[in-house]
PDB file of all heavy atoms in Angstrom:
ATOM      1  N   GLN A1664      18.334  12.037 -10.689  1.00  0.00           N
ATOM      2  CA  GLN A1664      19.726  11.794 -10.917  1.00  0.00           C
ATOM      3  C   GLN A1664      20.113  11.376 -12.333  1.00  0.00           C
ATOM      4  O   GLN A1664      21.196  11.758 -12.900  1.00  0.00           O
ATOM      5  CB  GLN A1664      20.212  10.815  -9.941  1.00  0.00           C
ATOM      6  CG  GLN A1664      20.173  11.300  -8.525  1.00  0.00           C
ATOM      7  CD  GLN A1664      20.729  10.243  -7.471  1.00  0.00           C
ATOM      8  OE1 GLN A1664      21.339   9.224  -7.839  1.00  0.00           O
ATOM      9  NE2 GLN A1664      20.350  10.457  -6.221  1.00  0.00           N
ATOM     10  N   VAL A1665      19.258  10.587 -13.047  1.00  0.00           N
ATOM     11  CA  VAL A1665      19.588  10.122 -14.401  1.00  0.00           C
ATOM     12  C   VAL A1665      19.478  11.424 -15.343  1.00  0.00           C
ATOM     13  O   VAL A1665      20.259  11.422 -16.307  1.00  0.00           O
ATOM     14  CB  VAL A1665      18.630   9.079 -14.886  1.00  0.00           C
ATOM     15  CG1 VAL A1665      17.265   9.505 -15.277  1.00  0.00           C
ATOM     16  CG2 VAL A1665      19.308   8.261 -15.986  1.00  0.00           C
ATOM     17  N   CYS A1666      18.616  12.403 -15.017  1.00  0.00           N
ATOM     18  CA  CYS A1666      18.616  13.539 -15.760  1.00  0.00           C
ATOM     19  C   CYS A1666      19.912  14.403 -15.668  1.00  0.00           C
ATOM     20  O   CYS A1666      20.422  15.041 -16.542  1.00  0.00           O
ATOM     21  CB  CYS A1666      17.321  14.395 -15.568  1.00  0.00           C
ATOM     22  SG  CYS A1666      15.706  13.584 -16.137  1.00  0.00           S
ATOM     23  N   GLU A1667      20.269  14.468 -14.417  1.00  0.00           N
ATOM     24  CA  GLU A1667      21.538  15.168 -14.120  1.00  0.00           C
ATOM     25  C   GLU A1667      22.738  14.498 -14.792  1.00  0.00           C
ATOM     26  O   GLU A1667      23.621  15.244 -15.278  1.00  0.00           O
ATOM     27  CB  GLU A1667      21.824  15.253 -12.547  1.00  0.00           C
ATOM     28  CG  GLU A1667      20.813  16.106 -11.899  1.00  0.00           C
ATOM     29  CD  GLU A1667      20.757  15.958 -10.400  1.00  0.00           C
ATOM     30  OE1 GLU A1667      21.382  15.054  -9.881  1.00  0.00           O
ATOM     31  OE2 GLU A1667      20.300  16.854  -9.742  1.00  0.00           O
ATOM     32  N   LYS A1668      22.746  13.172 -14.917  1.00  0.00           N
ATOM     33  CA  LYS A1668      23.822  12.458 -15.678  1.00  0.00           C
ATOM     34  C   LYS A1668      23.648  12.729 -17.081  1.00  0.00           C
ATOM     35  O   LYS A1668      24.776  12.882 -17.865  1.00  0.00           O
ATOM     36  CB  LYS A1668      23.742  10.892 -15.324  1.00  0.00           C
ATOM     37  CG  LYS A1668      24.895  10.165 -15.963  1.00  0.00           C
ATOM     38  CD  LYS A1668      24.828   8.707 -15.510  1.00  0.00           C
ATOM     39  CE  LYS A1668      26.063   7.961 -16.127  1.00  0.00           C
ATOM     40  NZ  LYS A1668      26.018   6.439 -15.702  1.00  0.00           N
ATOM     41  N   LEU A1669      22.498  12.852 -17.606  1.00  0.00           N
ATOM     42  CA  LEU A1669      22.320  13.143 -19.007  1.00  0.00           C
ATOM     43  C   LEU A1669      22.779  14.536 -19.355  1.00  0.00           C
ATOM     44  O   LEU A1669      23.377  14.755 -20.394  1.00  0.00           O
ATOM     45  CB  LEU A1669      20.739  13.076 -19.338  1.00  0.00           C
ATOM     46  CG  LEU A1669      20.438  12.995 -20.908  1.00  0.00           C
ATOM     47  CD1 LEU A1669      21.005  11.750 -21.515  1.00  0.00           C
ATOM     48  CD2 LEU A1669      18.925  12.990 -21.007  1.00  0.00           C
ATOM     49  N   GLN A1670      22.699  15.394 -18.444  1.00  0.00           N
ATOM     50  CA  GLN A1670      23.214  16.857 -18.627  1.00  0.00           C
ATOM     51  C   GLN A1670      24.717  16.787 -18.693  1.00  0.00           C
ATOM     52  O   GLN A1670      25.308  17.476 -19.502  1.00  0.00           O
ATOM     53  CB  GLN A1670      22.762  17.621 -17.389  1.00  0.00           C
ATOM     54  CG  GLN A1670      21.309  17.977 -17.400  1.00  0.00           C
ATOM     55  CD  GLN A1670      20.814  18.686 -16.101  1.00  0.00           C
ATOM     56  OE1 GLN A1670      21.631  18.812 -15.150  1.00  0.00           O
ATOM     57  NE2 GLN A1670      19.646  19.094 -16.115  1.00  0.00           N
ATOM     58  N   GLU A1671      25.345  15.813 -17.836  1.00  0.00           N
ATOM     59  CA  GLU A1671      26.869  15.711 -18.035  1.00  0.00           C
ATOM     60  C   GLU A1671      27.282  15.173 -19.371  1.00  0.00           C
ATOM     61  O   GLU A1671      28.246  15.529 -19.993  1.00  0.00           O
ATOM     62  CB  GLU A1671      27.307  14.715 -16.905  1.00  0.00           C
ATOM     63  CG  GLU A1671      27.220  15.226 -15.576  1.00  0.00           C
ATOM     64  CD  GLU A1671      27.734  14.225 -14.517  1.00  0.00           C
ATOM     65  OE1 GLU A1671      28.356  13.331 -14.839  1.00  0.00           O
ATOM     66  OE2 GLU A1671      27.274  14.405 -13.347  1.00  0.00           O
ATOM     67  N   GLU A1672      26.354  14.247 -19.967  1.00  0.00           N
ATOM     68  CA  GLU A1672      26.746  13.683 -21.335  1.00  0.00           C
ATOM     69  C   GLU A1672      26.503  14.799 -22.310  1.00  0.00           C
ATOM     70  O   GLU A1672      27.299  14.923 -23.248  1.00  0.00           O
ATOM     71  CB  GLU A1672      25.647  12.590 -21.688  1.00  0.00           C
ATOM     72  CG  GLU A1672      25.894  11.344 -20.753  1.00  0.00           C
ATOM     73  CD  GLU A1672      27.212  10.822 -20.703  1.00  0.00           C
ATOM     74  OE1 GLU A1672      27.795  10.676 -21.839  1.00  0.00           O
ATOM     75  OE2 GLU A1672      27.792  10.556 -19.712  1.00  0.00           O
ATOM     76  N   LEU A1673      25.552  15.716 -22.132  1.00  0.00           N
ATOM     77  CA  LEU A1673      25.472  16.877 -23.030  1.00  0.00           C
ATOM     78  C   LEU A1673      26.656  17.789 -22.981  1.00  0.00           C
ATOM     79  O   LEU A1673      27.164  18.305 -24.080  1.00  0.00           O
ATOM     80  CB  LEU A1673      24.119  17.646 -22.807  1.00  0.00           C
ATOM     81  CG  LEU A1673      22.833  17.000 -23.192  1.00  0.00           C
ATOM     82  CD1 LEU A1673      21.599  17.563 -22.444  1.00  0.00           C
ATOM     83  CD2 LEU A1673      22.630  17.205 -24.664  1.00  0.00           C
ATOM     84  N   LEU A1674      27.120  17.985 -21.823  1.00  0.00           N
ATOM     85  CA  LEU A1674      28.298  18.828 -21.747  1.00  0.00           C
ATOM     86  C   LEU A1674      29.550  18.279 -22.343  1.00  0.00           C
ATOM     87  O   LEU A1674      30.286  18.900 -23.057  1.00  0.00           O
ATOM     88  CB  LEU A1674      28.651  19.191 -20.252  1.00  0.00           C
ATOM     89  CG  LEU A1674      29.893  19.854 -19.937  1.00  0.00           C
ATOM     90  CD1 LEU A1674      29.730  21.317 -20.506  1.00  0.00           C
ATOM     91  CD2 LEU A1674      30.048  19.978 -18.300  1.00  0.00           C
ATOM     92  N   LYS A1675      29.668  16.926 -22.239  1.00  0.00           N
ATOM     93  CA  LYS A1675      30.815  16.160 -22.890  1.00  0.00           C
ATOM     94  C   LYS A1675      30.678  16.321 -24.439  1.00  0.00           C
ATOM     95  O   LYS A1675      31.783  16.530 -25.053  1.00  0.00           O
ATOM     96  CB  LYS A1675      30.820  14.690 -22.608  1.00  0.00           C
ATOM     97  CG  LYS A1675      31.116  14.395 -21.062  1.00  0.00           C
ATOM     98  CD  LYS A1675      31.040  12.913 -20.841  1.00  0.00           C
ATOM     99  CE  LYS A1675      31.328  12.506 -19.394  1.00  0.00           C
ATOM    100  NZ  LYS A1675      31.171  11.182 -19.108  1.00  0.00           N
ATOM    101  N   VAL A1676      29.447  16.236 -24.961  1.00  0.00           N
ATOM    102  CA  VAL A1676      29.295  16.344 -26.373  1.00  0.00           C
ATOM    103  C   VAL A1676      29.667  17.806 -26.848  1.00  0.00           C
ATOM    104  O   VAL A1676      30.440  17.948 -27.874  1.00  0.00           O
ATOM    105  CB  VAL A1676      27.881  16.079 -26.748  1.00  0.00           C
ATOM    106  CG1 VAL A1676      27.565  16.506 -28.221  1.00  0.00           C
ATOM    107  CG2 VAL A1676      27.504  14.560 -26.681  1.00  0.00           C
ATOM    108  N   ALA A1677      29.310  18.727 -26.099  1.00  0.00           N
ATOM    109  CA  ALA A1677      29.616  20.127 -26.406  1.00  0.00           C
ATOM    110  C   ALA A1677      31.094  20.336 -26.320  1.00  0.00           C
ATOM    111  O   ALA A1677      31.653  21.084 -27.222  1.00  0.00           O
ATOM    112  CB  ALA A1677      28.859  21.140 -25.482  1.00  0.00           C
ATOM    113  N   GLN A1678      31.740  19.896 -25.314  1.00  0.00           N
ATOM    114  CA  GLN A1678      33.229  20.036 -25.192  1.00  0.00           C
ATOM    115  C   GLN A1678      34.045  19.239 -26.191  1.00  0.00           C
ATOM    116  O   GLN A1678      35.017  19.687 -26.765  1.00  0.00           O
ATOM    117  CB  GLN A1678      33.635  19.698 -23.766  1.00  0.00           C
ATOM    118  CG  GLN A1678      33.073  20.673 -22.668  1.00  0.00           C
ATOM    119  CD  GLN A1678      33.447  20.068 -21.323  1.00  0.00           C
ATOM    120  OE1 GLN A1678      33.531  18.971 -21.008  1.00  0.00           O
ATOM    121  NE2 GLN A1678      33.490  21.083 -20.337  1.00  0.00           N
TER     122      GLN A1678
END
Side-chain angles (χ1 to χ4, degrees):
Q1664 288 180 21
V1665 79
C1666 289
E1667 291 169 345
K1668 187 173 181 181
L1669 195 61
Q1670 292 171 350
E1671 294 178 18
E1672 297 302 314
L1673 282 163
L1674 177 59
K1675 288 177 185 176
V1676 169
Q1678 291 175 332

